[in-house]
């Protein structure tokens, strides 16, 4: 069995139940493993999670023996996962931590110190903060009360006010002997199991202590938390509190806290009833009726209702009058709605005729055979949406595709492709009526997502630089972005397409919305596995790349901290140093316009400026090697299994200004795709020395491909079309990486041509001799 920090019995066992949190799990585990106090173990219980959680746990366990994964073969619920973790634990204390939360810095040391100062109590109460997606941090209401306890040790009957703490098991540490051996506490089925466990353990413990050190960072997930998903499961709260009062009935000495716990129960019922993300409107009357029945059945003699509006609601429960309760609640919400409508009235007055037309179309039925496509803010037919469009014409010809383009991009639309100009009358019609909406960025804020519509977000790259709500930490990059509006746009996604597990995890966390991740690969990368030798030679010929020359594609990305395109290489010198056997293709980011310096270099025959070349995939197929910095093109080019050189002369500035998820210069397998350079001289030496195409570069590229070329295999578009348009199981299955055959490299073709010509010469000599 793994040993925690060299000890068979660590001080603390952190029990982590895990289910559908792949976007948050690494942060949770990292927050524990990075603690300064090291005498702990992590017992992480995979509750048969359908996502990548199990693989992530095994990955961490392989790297650190303190991580002990437990895998359930069927989903049993968070209570059973916690029970299994507690039984598996070997620590003196058990700390339950939910897998989407994190430990605060210094938490375990603070816990260990307070346990020592209070002579190992049965329960140690912990402080916490709530963290929100917008980086707001809210202190807990119990902070002052926890501080007031100092190093005192007490029981719940002696200090009943501590029963008012937030009733969750993760804001307290339990002495394992007390929890497992002496009382064998186990969770009941269903949600709201925390409350029952908290009160039973608090009322059983003979020695309770507290610390006001913030130990847990409680993540307030915007969406995705089971507690914030409406449904009948929330009716389980009644059974949990019924069990609590049965527990009290069996212990007459606990009578002094019955009224306090009754008030906590009634408040919890009312809180749950008021939440639209828990009780749906059609169930509210029934929920109120059951709340009132349990209120009247369990109300202690002489109970005094609290003061204020809460006391009024208690009285309405006692009367069992849902009509009166609804009237009180409606009056409050009406005042709030009037204020909100007044704020929006001014903007509503400014709506155009097109918006009125849009609202008319929204009343018409959705066209089940209409799909709208857009890419790069309506720049034209491109990227993943384009690959899906073409595959849909083949496999789902009944679905008519219409592209949204800007007026100045109309000339780029290929012949035979139907399109609408953004904000034109027909644009509003197709946006209102299309069953399917496919985009690699977001549609505008004024797009209304109808329930019948299906929105596929294809994205347009694998995230190296920080994205979504993570950009809040980098205001220079965010450029006054409204993150609230951004998330409202992402709320309209139904499906989020990814090409690797890294992307799946990042998108889930940085866009905390309710979409489903579909791990089918990037359709735009299908061409890298379908292109032939003839395709490669044809594209090179169209680009004017002379036979036998090594083509290097240079693709730097945009810099948020700079305005306009700023060359990072002296291209004239670079081309001169590489020599006549090389040709350099330069492609600037599409955010930039034409660059006169690049045009001048091209006119002199030093480079080929391919910035306006319409199909970037063709450029990749034509290139022997790629030079880039932080551009996501590196992940796509890795499909071809050709050399990638990372040239990052401004790494320190870029990583601080924009933020990154991993270090492309680290030289670590899975992070660095090949040779690296941080100066122009180093870059030249990379090519002069042959390091760009060395064995070491190939090893790094193989690890990079294993991590990031995960689902790209040439069949991504087909999987998307079968799922989205045909309602079929996505097929074919992803081809294993070592069985995929990317398009042949120019170097391989050159060798083949040499062999063919050599063979022809030998044959000719044989004929002459004959």
């Amino acid at each position: 069995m793994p040993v925690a920090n060299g000890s068979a019995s660590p001080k603390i066992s952190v029990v982590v139940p895990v289910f559908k949190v792949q976007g948050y799990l690494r942060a949770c585990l990292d927050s524990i493993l990075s603690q300064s106090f090291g005498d702990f173990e992590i017992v992480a219980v995979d509750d048969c999670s359908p996502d990548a959680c199990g693989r992530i746990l095994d990955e961490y366990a392989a790297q650190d023996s303190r991580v002990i994964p437990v895998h359930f073969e069927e989903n049993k619920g968070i209570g059973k996962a916690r029970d299994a973790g507690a039984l598996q634990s070997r620590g003196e204390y058990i700390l339950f931590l939910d897998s989407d939360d994190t430990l605060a810095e210094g938490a375990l040391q603070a816990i260990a110190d307070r346990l020592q100062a209070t002579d190992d109590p049965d329960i140690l109460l912990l402080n916490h903060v709530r963290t929100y997606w917008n980086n707001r941090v809210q202190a807990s209401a119990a902070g002052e009360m926890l501080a007031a306890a100092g190093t005192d040790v007490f029981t719940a009957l002696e200090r009943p006010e501590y029963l008012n703490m937030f009733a969750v098991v993760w804001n307290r540490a339990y002495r394992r002997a007390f929890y497992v051996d002496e009382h064998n506490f186990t969770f009941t089925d269903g949600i709201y199991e925390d409350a029952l466990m908290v009160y039973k353990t608090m009322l059983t413990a003979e020695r309770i202590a507290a610390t006001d050190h913030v130990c847990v960072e409680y993540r307030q997930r915007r969406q995705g938390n089971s507690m914030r998903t409406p449904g009948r499961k929330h009716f389980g709260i009644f059974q949990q509190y019924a069990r609590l009062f049965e527990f009290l009935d069996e212990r007459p000495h606990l009578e002094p806290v019955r009224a306090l716990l009754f008030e906590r129960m009634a408040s919890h019922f009312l809180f749950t009833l008021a939440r639209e993300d828990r009780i749906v409107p059609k169930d509210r009357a029934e929920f109120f009726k059951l709340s009132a029945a349990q209120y009247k059945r369990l109300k202690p003699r002489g109970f005094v209702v609290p003061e204020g509006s809460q006391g009024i609601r208690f009285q309405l429960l006692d009367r069992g009058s849902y009509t009166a309760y609804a009237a009180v609640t409606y009056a409050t919400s009406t005042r709030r709605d009037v204020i909100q409508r007044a704020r929006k009235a001014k903007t509503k007055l400014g709506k155009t005729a097109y918006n009125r037309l849009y609202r008319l179309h929204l009343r018409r039925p959705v066209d089940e055979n209409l799909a709208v496509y857009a890419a790069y803010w309506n720049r034209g037919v491109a990227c993943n949406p384009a690959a899906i469009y073409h595959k849909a014409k083949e496999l789902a010809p009944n679905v008519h595709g219409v592209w949204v383009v800007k007026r100045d991009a109309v000339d780029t639309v290929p012949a035979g492709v139907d399109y609408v100009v953004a904000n034109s009358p027909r644009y509003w019609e197709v946006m209102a009526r299309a069953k399917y909406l496919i985009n690699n960025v977001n549609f505008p804020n004024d797009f209304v997502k109808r329930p019948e519509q299906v929105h596929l977000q294809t994205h347009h790259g694998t995230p190296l630089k920080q994205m979504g709500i993570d950009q809040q930490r980098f205001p220079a990059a965010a450029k006054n972005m409204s993150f609230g509006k951004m998330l409202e746009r992402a709320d309209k996604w139904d499906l989020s397409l990814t090409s690797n597990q890294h992307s799946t995890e990042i998108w889930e966390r940085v866009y905390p919305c309710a979409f489903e991740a579909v791990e089918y690969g990037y359709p735009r990368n299908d061409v890298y596995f379908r292109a032939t030798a003839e395709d490669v030679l044809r594209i090179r010929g169209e680009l004017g790349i002379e036979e036998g020359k090594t083509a290097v594609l240079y693709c730097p990305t945009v810099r948020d901290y700079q305005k306009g395109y700023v060359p990072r290489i002296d291209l004239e010198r670079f081309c001169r140093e590489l020599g006549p056997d090389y040709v350099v293709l330069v492609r600037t980011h599409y955010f930039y316009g034409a660059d006169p310096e690049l045009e001048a270099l091209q006119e002199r025959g030093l480079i080929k400026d391919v910035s306006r070349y319409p199909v970037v995939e063709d450029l990749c197929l034509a290139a022997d090697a790629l030079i880039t910095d932080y551009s996501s093109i590196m992940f796509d080019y890795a499909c071809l299994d050709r050399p990638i050189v990372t040239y990052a002369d401004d790494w320190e500035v870029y990583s601080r200004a924009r933020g990154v998820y991993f270090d492309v210069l680290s030289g670590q397998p899975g992070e660095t795709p090949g040779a690296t350079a941080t100066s122009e001289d180093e870059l030249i030496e990379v090519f002069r020395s042959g390091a760009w195409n060395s064995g070491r570069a190939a090893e790094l590229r193989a690890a990079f491909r294993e991590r990031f070329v995960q689902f790209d295999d040439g069949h991504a578009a087909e999987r998307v079309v079968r799922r989205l348009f045909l309602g079929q199981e996505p097929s074919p299955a992803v081809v294993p990486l070592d069985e995929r055959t990317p398009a042949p490299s120019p170097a391989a073709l050159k060798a083949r041509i040499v062999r063919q010509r050599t063979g022809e010469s030998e044959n000719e000599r044989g004929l002459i001799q004959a």
Side-chain angles (χ1 to χ4, degrees):
M1 179 175 284
V3 175
N5 202 35
S7 171
S9 179
K11 184 68 176 179
I12 300 172
S13 292
V14 185
V15 173
V16 183
V18 178
F19 185 72
K20 293 182 69 173
V21 287
Q22 61 185 357
Y24 304 94
L25 182 54
R26 292 181 189 276
C28 174
L29 298 175
D30 289 342
S31 74
I32 307 170
L33 294 171
S34 63
Q35 292 285 313
S36 58
F37 180 85
D39 191 15
F40 66 85
E41 66 177 2
I42 302 173
V43 183
V45 183
D46 169 22
D47 190 15
C48 198
S49 187
D51 56 11
C53 287
R55 294 198 299 272
I56 293 171
L57 292 181
D58 290 341
E59 174 190 328
Y60 273 76
Q63 297 170 356
D64 195 314
S65 63
R66 293 175 297 181
V67 180
I68 304 170
V70 177
H71 297 282
F72 282 176
E73 293 184 359
E74 61 181 25
N75 179 252
K76 299 181 180 180
I78 190 172
K80 292 294 185 290
R82 286 170 173 161
D83 288 342
L87 289 174
Q88 181 84 5
S89 68
R90 299 164 299 141
E92 294 179 39
Y93 278 82
I94 297 171
L95 174 64
F96 294 108
L97 182 68
D98 288 354
S99 47
D100 53 354
D101 297 336
T102 51
L103 284 186
E105 185 176 350
L108 295 186
Q109 186 64 60
I111 291 172
D113 290 346
R114 185 52 56 97
L115 291 175
Q116 182 177 14
T118 54
D119 196 21
D120 294 336
D122 296 330
I123 300 175
L124 177 67
L125 305 177
L126 313 175
N127 201 2
H128 75 277
V129 293
R130 294 173 185 254
T131 64
Y132 295 81
W133 67 264
N134 58 3
N135 290 333
R136 182 166 69 93
V137 177
Q138 179 183 6
S140 76
E144 291 185 7
M145 182 170 63
L146 292 169
T151 57
D152 292 350
V153 178
F154 50 87
T155 67
L157 289 177
E158 293 169 341
R159 303 273 184 91
E161 64 270 23
Y162 287 90
L163 292 172
N164 287 315
M165 270 186 66
F166 188 25
V168 287
V169 294
W170 48 256
N171 62 1
R172 51 205 80 204
Y174 295 97
R175 185 168 61 85
R176 188 186 186 282
F178 160 77
Y179 186 94
V180 176
D181 301 331
E182 298 168 13
H183 298 283
N184 190 28
F185 288 112
T186 57
F187 286 88
T188 53
D189 292 333
I191 59 176
Y192 302 103
E193 73 293 333
D194 271 32
L196 177 60
M197 178 63 76
V198 161
Y199 295 131
K200 286 175 65 176
T201 53
M202 286 287 286
L203 294 170
T204 304
E206 297 179 0
R207 304 183 73 254
I208 301 171
T211 175
D212 64 335
H213 184 96
V214 172
C215 296
V216 179
E217 296 164 337
Y218 174 38
R219 188 188 302 273
Q220 297 292 278
R221 289 173 65 179
R222 185 171 173 272
Q223 291 188 26
N225 190 317
S226 63
M227 291 295 289
R228 300 181 63 182
T229 304
R232 299 284 300 184
K233 63 182 179 226
H234 291 281
F235 281 69
I237 193 172
F238 301 118
Q239 188 174 18
Q240 300 290 17
Y241 276 100
R243 289 168 176 158
L244 172 61
F245 278 84
E246 289 172 3
F247 177 85
L248 295 178
D249 291 341
E250 294 169 358
R251 294 163 178 80
H253 70 283
L254 297 178
E255 189 64 24
V257 295
R258 179 180 288 269
L260 185 154
L261 293 175
F262 176 81
E263 182 176 333
R264 296 283 291 171
M265 178 194 76
S267 295
H268 204 170
F269 289 170
L270 290 168
F271 172 82
T272 304
L273 175 61
R275 297 288 293 269
E276 293 184 359
D277 55 2
R278 300 194 184 190
I279 308 300
V280 298
K282 68 181 182 65
D283 290 337
R284 288 177 189 161
E286 181 185 356
F287 189 93
F288 181 89
K289 180 180 178 181
L290 293 173
S291 299
Q294 192 148 318
Y295 184 98
K296 285 184 279 190
R297 181 169 63 84
L298 297 176
K299 186 175 72 170
R301 292 180 181 176
F303 176 73
V304 179
V305 300
E307 298 179 355
S309 60
Q310 186 74 335
I312 294 173
R313 288 177 171 81
F314 272 46
Q315 291 170 5
L316 293 174
L317 272 181
D318 203 4
R319 287 165 50 191
S321 174
Y322 178 70
T323 302
Y325 169 83
V328 170
T329 306
Y330 177 77
T332 303
S333 62
T334 298
R335 286 195 298 271
R336 185 167 56 247
D337 291 344
V338 167
I339 294 171
Q340 291 175 346
R341 284 199 298 270
R343 289 173 180 168
K344 294 179 179 179
K346 192 172 182 179
T347 58
K348 285 187 177 181
L349 292 174
K351 296 296 182 181
T352 65
Y354 283 155
N355 295 99
R356 290 194 292 272
L357 178 63
Y358 185 34
R359 290 196 292 273
L360 289 174
H361 286 307
L362 287 171
R363 297 192 185 103
R364 300 174 63 191
V366 164
D367 186 338
E368 297 290 328
N369 292 309
L370 180 61
V372 168
Y373 296 85
Y376 297 120
W377 299 274
N378 306 330
R379 282 181 165 84
V381 180
C383 194
N384 292 315
I388 295 169
Y389 168 81
H390 291 299
K391 183 58 68 172
K393 289 183 69 175
E394 173 191 336
L395 298 179
N398 59 301
V399 178
H400 180 68
V402 179
W403 280 83
V404 180
V405 297
K406 298 189 298 182
R407 192 168 299 280
D408 60 6
V410 167
D411 293 341
T412 69
V413 178
V417 174
D418 193 6
Y419 69 89
V420 293
V421 174
N423 296 317
S424 66
R426 189 177 174 224
Y427 163 82
W428 294 108
E429 179 182 3
V430 297
M431 290 299 294
R433 301 200 60 208
K435 172 70 173 182
Y436 308 102
L437 302 134
I438 300 98
N439 205 336
N440 71 353
V441 293
N442 276 311
F443 287 104
N445 292 338
D446 53 8
F447 155 59
V448 177
K449 168 67 163 44
R450 300 172 69 172
E452 307 97 311
Q453 293 179 313
V454 182
H455 181 1
L456 170 66
Q457 168 59 257
T458 73
H459 304 282
H460 56 276
T462 290
L464 166 62
K465 57 190 175 187
Q466 301 217 358
M467 301 291 290
I469 59 174
D470 282 354
Q471 293 181 76
Q472 294 175 105
R473 299 193 296 271
F474 305 94
K479 292 183 171 61
N480 300 315
M481 178 189 299
S482 169
F483 290 95
K485 290 291 185 183
M486 177 195 72
L487 292 180
E488 287 179 11
R489 293 190 290 272
D491 281 334
K492 299 170 184 176
W493 305 351
D494 294 293
L495 304 172
S496 169
L497 184 64
T498 75
S499 58
N500 48 65
Q501 180 61 34
H502 165 79
S503 297
T504 303
E505 293 177 27
I506 296 297
W507 298 145
E508 181 174 309
R509 184 173 54 77
V510 303
Y511 297 110
C513 304
F515 56 80
E516 175 190 351
V518 284
E519 297 176 320
Y520 299 163
Y522 271 178
R524 72 182 185 191
N525 292 340
D526 285 353
V527 66
Y528 296 137
F529 300 93
R530 296 185 173 274
T532 64
E534 290 72 23
D535 292 325
V536 174
L537 291 174
R538 173 183 53 79
I539 297 167
R540 284 173 69 91
E542 292 173 354
L543 291 169
I545 301 172
E546 297 176 21
E547 185 180 314
K549 285 200 173 185
T550 299
V552 178
L553 177 60
Y554 173 46
C555 291
T557 193
V558 67
R559 264 52 174 187
D560 298 294
Y561 64 87
Q562 290 177 336
K563 186 175 182 180
Y565 172 64
V566 178
R568 311 210 69 83
I569 301 177
D570 181 344
L571 290 168
E572 182 174 356
R573 178 192 175 210
F574 182 65
C575 293
R576 184 176 66 249
E577 294 287 351
L578 260 59
D581 292 336
Y582 288 82
V583 58
V584 178
L585 314 176
V586 180
R587 185 178 182 84
T588 59
H589 195 275
Y590 56 83
F591 280 1
Y592 301 130
D595 183 73
E597 291 187 18
L598 293 181
E599 292 177 358
L601 290 171
Q602 176 165 266
E603 289 175 3
R604 293 168 56 191
L606 291 174
I607 67 163
K608 292 185 182 297
D609 182 6
V610 292
S611 301
R612 305 281 78 82
Y613 190 88
V615 185
V616 70
E617 289 80 18
D618 283 0
L619 301 177
C620 292
L621 285 167
D624 293 87
L626 172 72
I627 303 174
T628 188
D629 37 35
Y630 322 111
S631 171
S632 67
I633 196 173
M634 74 176 79
F635 304 99
D636 302 330
Y637 194 79
C639 292
L640 290 167
D641 197 14
R642 301 179 191 174
I644 301 172
V645 176
T646 303
Y647 175 57
D649 64 323
D650 61 339
W651 169 255
E652 293 298 328
V653 175
Y654 186 90
S655 59
R656 287 196 182 101
R658 187 60 175 83
V660 293
Y661 291 116
F662 57 89
D663 184 353
V664 291
L665 297 177
S666 69
Q668 295 297 314
E671 291 190 347
T672 304
T676 62
T678 58
S679 69
E680 190 174 293
D681 288 341
E682 288 182 6
L683 181 62
I684 291 169
E685 182 59 25
V686 161
F687 282 90
R688 277 182 169 175
S689 66
W692 67 282
N693 199 19
S694 65
R696 171 58 177 164
E699 291 175 0
L700 289 171
R701 185 168 70 251
F704 192 82
R705 295 182 77 240
E706 185 176 352
R707 181 179 180 188
F708 295 111
V709 186
Q710 201 169 354
F711 310 126
D712 290 334
D713 64 351
H715 302 286
E718 180 175 353
R719 285 189 282 269
V720 171
V721 170
R722 292 194 181 281
R723 163 71 185 274
L724 184 63
F725 299 122
L726 301 179
Q728 300 174 354
E729 286 296 314
S731 63
V734 175
V735 178
L737 185 61
D738 59 0
E739 296 178 17
R740 301 174 207 170
T741 304
S745 69
L749 294 177
K750 182 165 60 176
R752 183 188 306 176
I753 291 170
V754 169
R755 287 195 300 271
Q756 289 174 347
R757 288 176 177 171
T758 302
E760 289 170 0
S761 300
E762 290 174 350
N763 290 336
E764 288 171 359
R765 284 197 299 272
L767 288 172
I768 292 171
Q769 290 171 358

